[in-house]
């Protein structure tokens, strides 16, 4: 007699004939069910709406600028704009203990719980008394990014010229535009100089950009799992997300704010994104090849034929992640902000083409005659020595980062990250050191959490930040 | 004065104001345009149809079985089935020079040009006189896989019971079912024993499965960029493709054969697939951060604002790949065959649960008391020695592969492959050696082509095959 199957094996089953009934696809029906539910809530005018459609300024502060914001890619400015923000800790009398915390793509300003919003924040374990961002010492400021949908001005905000949401009339944004808006807030708060600019993922882009736009106003930079120059692979992965989203008929060229939003496109986009946030080894350990449990009403003897809808636990996980997200975030914000990430490039030629008013690019810098410091041999682990003959883009990046030559910078990357790869971390480190920065601290983390490590690994990520900031 | 931007930099441009006109999205309009074109061709009944809807049996042979095919996941059989196939070279009088070539997911039997179909095949440079599959010596047979849409029975075929296409009444398939159908063809051709079973990607799964189902009928096995057990990561990537496809309203639960097919879902799915077929380093070298050239009618002085539709060359590449594919392959075939890949698992518990009639699993094998040979220290490069204390799934896999202990096997993998990772290649090699196979040849290739290396690298992939087969 055969032994019972062991772990990872499908259950023994009596086989069923096929085509015995009309095929059903619960994963597809879920879209239609969601659509009906949302359509009826819209028509009733009192039903639930996406949270981004219900701004709640009692749970965060709003800096409201009446002064136009110049934009990187357009000649016209944003006439007015809001920046939603939250703070933790106490501003010192000298106003010299400020940490500006930058978020990833879809996060709100709610990095940690506050008295006005006690729900957990996205970096709850990193912010507070005695924590890596120690509020006994620091005054931490986190904003919802320009272009976002959690209180800051973005495509879902009302265009003052028309009285209706901007939708895709919203201007193309750059990471620099986002940082520019943040510094307007700092001006308003009377903060001349940041103790540190800290960010992970897209927040790391902003963190570097802040230092570059205002070298004299940024004391230290922390760049975790970020990049100085988006690569084709990461552009491809974000492009795939935008494509499925924009193909949703509900997207309607971005004009959906008076109708049911593109929830199906958002779910599909989030599923793709989730693949890039974690790593294979983690899923091997967590899900392996396990199947979802049978529905509770299934008779024990009922045979199981594999389904075309989610069947493996990894599939139900992706499905769940998409389902949870699809109404929590504004589709146009996702499109605009992910595009800003694609456009991010701190190499000298790219910066030069943008002609940012904050960044003076002298003629001497525009030539390739700068004598770069050779990368230190200690730039990272022995098995990955810095290039002795750097490729052109690395020299271009070093040239672009010369304004950061004197800013102490912590770079931290994760070897299992497939979105912001470890090679990109090394590139930032090499370029900074080539630009003459001898105060670059660099750590590579192992582990299986991939890009999401920055959200999860308080011990290692938090420890590196704590050490660098103190 | 600023110097002109150099490589990779956007052109200098006079900035344009935003929201000056109604936003347009050519990449979204393309879906609607394709829809209109297809809808009118369907209504005219004489217009172009997808190629899979126009079988052309003059360009390939068809083996037509009237004997039912037992299925892995169903109690009922496929009552009749076709297998489309092509051959190259000459069958020897002893019928002992046959190479069965297995395809990847979406390929047809047209691996190389023939007199009846002179267009280039998908492995044109690998098959012919003096080529790696040397038709001076070998008789090469390639089939369109069961479940496919290029002449073999799949979801788009007519169900004899209803007179209309199976659609999603088609049974769930396994890789074993596909191989079973191929051996029916071999029976029909009077081929008792294969000189070799050769395949890449999904074809490598079939290649291993063929050896396992019929150890006595398979002389040698070639497994290139395959796996013996699909991992959660690869399932996730295929799941994302199926999800976007099934969310296309045209998919209609699979019943679209008398209407416009889900071309948008297919395009989006192919874009995702393309990301998994190549590698970051190749795209870095080939596309970098270059933008698409401006449309030909753009005045030279016209400024350029980044677009939300494809703008970087990597985006236009993905767009093009999706566009080329979206009408060339049947959506249901993609869904069924990709699911069969997910289900593939040669570990002993998984095989045991399937109770395949071809594979006798004796009681002694069902216990864990088999004394595995320790993996050879030469199993692969020194930097990746085989585990001295193998994880449970590796022991399970070795136990599942015991029937291959005496089959010479070539395993070849590519270090930049993100779909069938190099770890999976090593797993196959370690398991085979643990099962007692001391005729395993293993190569790891470098290079930047990722999973697609098997289609491109005639020198290294072809050379390894040539050496192993001779």
């Amino acid at each position: 007699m055969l032994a019972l199957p062991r772990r990872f094996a499908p259950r023994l089953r009596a086989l069923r004939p096929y085509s015995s009934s009309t095929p059903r696809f619960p994963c597809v029906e879920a879209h239609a069910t969601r659509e009906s539910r949302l359509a009826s809530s819209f028509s009733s005018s009192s039903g639930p709406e996406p949270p981004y459609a219900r701004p709640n300024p009692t749970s965060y502060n709003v800096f409201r600028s009446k002064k136009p914001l110049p934009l990187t890619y357009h000649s016209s400015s944003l006439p007015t704009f809001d920046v939603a923000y939250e703070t933790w800790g106490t501003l010192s009398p000298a106003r010299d203990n400020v940490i500006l915390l930058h978020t990833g793509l879809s996060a709100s300003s709610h990095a940690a719980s506050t008295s006005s919003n006690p729900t957990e924040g996205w970096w709850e374990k990193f912010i507070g008394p005695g924590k890596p961002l120690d509020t006994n010492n620091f005054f931490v400021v986190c904003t919802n990014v320009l272009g976002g949908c959690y209180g800051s001005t973005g495509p879902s905000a009302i265009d003052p010229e028309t009285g209706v949401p901007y939708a895709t009339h919203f201007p193309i944004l750059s990471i620099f535009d986002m940082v520019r808006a943040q510094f307007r807030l700092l001006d308003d708060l009377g903060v001349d100089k940041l103790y540190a600019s800290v960010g992970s993922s897209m927040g790391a882009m902003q963190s570097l950009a802040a230092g570059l736009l205002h070298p004299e106003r940024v004391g230290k930079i922390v760049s975790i799992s970020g990049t100085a120059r988006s690569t084709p692979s990461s552009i491809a992965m974000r492009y795939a997300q935008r494509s499925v989203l924009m193909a949703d008929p509900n997207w309607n060229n971005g004009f959906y704010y008076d109708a049911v939003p593109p929830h199906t496109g958002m779910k599909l986009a989030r599923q793709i994104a989730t693949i890039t946030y974690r790593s294979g080894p983690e899923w091997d350990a967590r899900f392996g090849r396990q199947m979802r449990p049978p529905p509770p009403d299934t008779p024990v003897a009922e045979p199981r034929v594999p389904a075309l809808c989610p069947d493996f636990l990894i599939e139900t996980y992706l499905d769940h992640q998409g389902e949870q997200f699809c109404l929590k975030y504004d589709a146009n914000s996702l499109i605009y902000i992910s595009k800003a990430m694609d456009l991010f490039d701190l190499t000298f030629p790219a910066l030069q083409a943008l002609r940012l008013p904050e960044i003076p690019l002298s003629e001497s810098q525009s030539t390739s005659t700068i004598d770069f410091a050779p990368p230190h041999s200690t730039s990272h682990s022995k098995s990955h020595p810095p290039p002795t003959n750097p490729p052109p883009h690395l020299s271009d990046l070093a040239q672009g980062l010369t304004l950061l030559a004197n800013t102490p910078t912590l770079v931290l990357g994760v070897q299992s990250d497939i979105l912001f790869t470890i090679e990109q971390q090394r590139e930032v480190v090499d370029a900074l050191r080539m630009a003459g920065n001898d105060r670059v601290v660099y750590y590579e983390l192992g582990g299986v959490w991939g890009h999401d490590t920055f959200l999860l690994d308080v011990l290692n990520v938090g420890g590196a930040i704590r050490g660098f900031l103190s």
Side-chain angles (χ1 to χ4, degrees), chain A:
Chain A
M1 208 188 100
L2 286 168
L4 282 173
R6 290 180 295 159
R7 65 194 167 284
F8 304 145
R11 297 180 303 153
L12 278 181
R13 68 230 136 38
L15 293 173
R16 271 196 302 193
Y18 63 90
S19 80
S20 56
S21 58
T22 304
R24 291 198 54 187
F25 301 97
C27 57
V28 179
E29 287 165 17
H31 302 314
T33 306
R34 214 186 307 110
E35 179 81 16
S36 307
R37 181 167 52 79
L38 290 165
S40 66
S41 78
F42 264 87
S43 63
S44 76
S45 84
S46 63
E49 281 181 345
Y52 55 82
R54 286 178 276 119
N56 179 14
T58 62
S59 71
Y60 49 76
N61 309 296
V62 178
F63 162 62
R64 195 148 278 178
S65 172
K66 298 289 177 199
K67 201 176 127 197
L69 187 78
L71 297 166
T72 302
Y73 294 109
H74 299 272
S75 59
S76 50
S77 303
L78 260 187
T80 63
F81 64 95
D82 292 354
V83 175
Y85 69 99
E86 295 176 55
T87 67
W88 300 263
T90 309
L91 184 57
S92 64
R95 295 166 189 262
D96 61 357
N97 68 334
V98 179
I99 291 178
L100 179 60
L101 174 62
H102 308 274
T103 71
L105 199 168
S106 59
S108 72
S109 58
H110 195 59
S113 51
T114 61
S115 55
S116 52
N117 183 358
T119 58
E120 275 205 357
W122 54 267
W123 236 23
E124 188 73 24
K125 291 180 177 149
F126 289 76
I127 302 167
K131 293 182 179 171
L133 298 187
D134 189 346
T135 49
N136 289 330
N137 300 322
F138 298 119
F139 181 64
V140 180
V141 179
C142 183
T143 74
N144 179 224
V145 86
L146 192 73
C149 60
Y150 294 127
S152 292
T153 297
S156 58
I158 300 295
D159 178 350
E161 288 196 18
T162 63
V164 296
Y166 281 101
T168 45
H169 282 133
F170 199 72
I172 297 282
L173 291 183
S174 73
I175 298 288
F176 299 109
D177 297 336
M178 299 172 183
V179 173
R180 206 174 266 151
Q182 290 171 321
F183 274 81
R184 287 286 192 77
L185 163 65
L186 295 179
D187 292 344
D188 190 67
L189 295 175
V191 175
D192 283 336
K193 181 162 182 176
L194 293 174
Y195 183 83
S197 171
V198 174
S200 307
S201 193
M202 183 183 80
M205 295 177 173
Q206 296 175 71
S207 197
L208 290 168
L212 214 54
L213 289 179
H214 301 290
E216 74 295 346
R217 296 182 68 179
V218 177
K220 295 182 175 193
I221 291 173
V222 174
S223 165
I224 298 166
S225 299
T227 184
R229 175 177 161 272
S230 288
T231 58
S233 288
S234 66
I235 294 171
M237 294 195 254
R238 284 187 289 265
Y239 168 71
Q241 295 168 51
R242 288 194 295 270
S243 289
V244 297
L245 185 43
M246 291 164 74
D248 184 331
N250 284 7
W251 183 63
N252 189 35
N253 289 344
F255 295 87
Y256 54 79
Y257 292 108
D258 55 355
V260 176
H263 54 94
T264 299
M266 283 296 274
K267 176 173 176 176
L268 299 170
R270 186 60 168 193
Q271 290 184 165
I272 299 169
T274 302
I275 294 176
T276 69
Y277 293 157
R278 292 293 172 102
S279 80
E282 193 223 5
W283 288 345
D284 290 342
R286 185 166 165 199
F287 302 120
R289 291 183 47 80
Q290 291 178 85
M291 303 293 228
R292 70 181 159 79
D297 55 346
T298 309
V300 176
E302 181 77 0
R304 170 145 165 197
V305 175
L308 296 180
C309 275
D311 215 9
F312 288 97
L313 283 191
I314 178 64
E315 294 176 299
T316 61
Y317 168 77
L318 293 178
D319 184 86
H320 179 75
Q321 293 294 321
E323 196 68 44
Q324 288 297 101
F325 185 76
C326 70
L327 290 169
K328 260 176 56 182
Y329 195 70
D330 178 46
N332 284 336
S333 283
L334 178 62
I335 292 171
Y336 275 84
I337 298 178
S338 79
K339 186 75 192 182
M341 293 172 76
D342 292 359
L343 293 166
F344 191 63
D345 184 353
L346 298 185
T347 58
F348 183 78
L351 288 174
Q352 197 178 31
L354 294 181
R355 300 202 238 186
L356 300 168
E358 295 92 340
I359 302 186
L361 297 171
S362 70
E363 195 167 353
S364 65
Q365 279 178 305
S366 75
T367 71
S368 287
T369 57
I370 292 178
D371 195 18
F372 291 120
H376 294 218
S377 60
T378 53
S379 84
H380 31 58
S381 74
K382 275 185 188 169
S383 56
H384 303 287
T388 49
N389 186 15
H393 75 261
L394 192 56
S395 302
D396 286 347
L397 191 56
Q399 197 176 4
L401 298 181
T402 46
L403 291 171
L404 296 185
N406 299 313
T407 312
T409 304
L410 167 65
V411 178
L412 186 148
V414 179
Q415 287 159 346
S416 57
D417 191 334
I418 59 172
L419 190 57
F420 292 80
T421 62
I422 202 69
E423 288 76 18
Q424 290 178 271
Q425 316 306 318
R426 295 173 191 158
E427 181 178 275
V428 174
V429 172
D430 287 342
L432 283 169
R433 288 179 171 156
M434 285 168 68
N437 190 325
D438 57 6
R439 284 182 287 178
V440 180
V441 175
Y442 179 51
Y443 300 112
E444 290 192 5
L445 296 186
V448 298
W449 284 325
H451 187 62
D452 272 358
T453 300
F454 80 86
L455 294 171
L456 303 167
D457 190 350
V458 187
L459 189 68
N460 290 293
V461 176
I465 295 171
R466 185 198 306 273
F468 178 73
L469 292 181
S470 62

